[in-house]
Amino acid sequence: MHFQKGIKYFFRLIIILLAISSCTADPCEYPDGVRTNIGFYTYDGRTLQDTLFDSLKVYLLNDSSALFYDGTSEKINKITLPLSMISDTSSFVMEFESGIRDTLTLVYTQYLKLVSHECGFVNYYNITNYEASNNLIDSLWIRKDLVEYGNEENIKIYF
């Protein structure tokens, strides 16, 4: 008799655990899609330091109305930028507080990846090349060429 009650409770527990594990609070964690994570740094030959900008504006090269950062936020040392799904290049203008502008062009391949049944497919990118003007930017390092979900830094820009 006790054995049958134990089995009933065991199966109830299994059903409850399966029901809980199948529920997801936020199945699509990143509704804006995959973004390129870029950090700003200075290197004096001995130490690497974050570089902070307090009035950075970032917009598309041929469309200044497509503004990603408007320069009114607090000081920042990193940004995230979306890549085009209809092209294999994306070009951005970075306008710094001094009025100096640099252009960053990223070249990449892209592929679809199924995130989940609820979220569908998402574009992932592999950065294959870049071009950057050198008005304020000194150099650039592609730290992680795969652009996917998460906060891991893809590109380091040195000033």
Side-chain angles (χ1 to χ4, degrees):
M1 184 78 164
H2 292 297
F3 180 71
Q4 288 177 344
K5 281 187 178 180
I7 289 179
K8 280 184 185 178
Y9 288 121
F10 176 74
F11 282 117
R12 285 183 185 168
L13 179 63
I14 294 294
I15 290 171
I16 290 171
L17 289 174
L18 287 174
I20 290 172
S21 68
S22 67
C23 294
T24 56
D26 187 9
C28 303
E29 187 176 341
Y30 300 94
D32 293 336
V34 173
R35 292 169 137 325
T36 307
N37 298 309
I38 301 172
F40 303 136
Y41 300 92
T42 55
Y43 182 68
D44 65 4
R46 290 176 283 141
T47 57
L48 181 66
Q49 296 178 342
D50 289 345
T51 299
L52 296 171
F53 293 103
D54 61 357
S55 62
L56 176 67
K57 290 183 183 178
V58 180
Y59 50 89
L60 287 177
L61 177 62
N62 295 319
D63 186 1
S64 61
S65 66
L67 191 63
F68 297 107
Y69 289 93
D70 64 2
T72 60
S73 63
E74 70 278 352
K75 290 186 177 193
I76 58 172
N77 65 342
K78 59 186 170 186
I79 58 174
T80 62
L81 295 174
L83 298 177
S84 173
M85 294 171 54
I86 58 173
S87 175
D88 286 337
T89 62
S90 291
S91 296
F92 304 96
V93 174
M94 295 180 182
E95 185 176 321
F96 303 96
E97 62 259 9
S98 57
I100 297 174
R101 292 185 183 112
D102 271 311
T103 302
L104 172 64
T105 299
L106 299 174
V107 181
Y108 46 85
T109 58
Q110 52 186 308
Y111 62 93
L112 287 174
K113 182 172 182 180
L114 178 64
V115 175
S116 70
H117 177 68
E118 294 87 10
C119 298
F121 289 89
V122 185
N123 264 33
Y124 277 30
Y125 305 89
N126 280 319
I127 300 172
T128 57
N129 204 356
Y130 68 90
E131 289 182 21
S133 59
N134 296 109
N135 296 317
L136 197 58
I137 293 175
D138 177 65
S139 57
L140 186 142
W141 175 42
I142 298 175
R143 183 178 175 277
K144 181 183 176 204
D145 61 348
L146 177 62
V147 180
E148 59 185 340
Y149 285 125
N151 296 324
E152 192 171 353
E153 190 173 69
N154 298 102
I155 298 171
K156 286 183 181 287
I157 296 179
Y158 299 98
F159 297 91

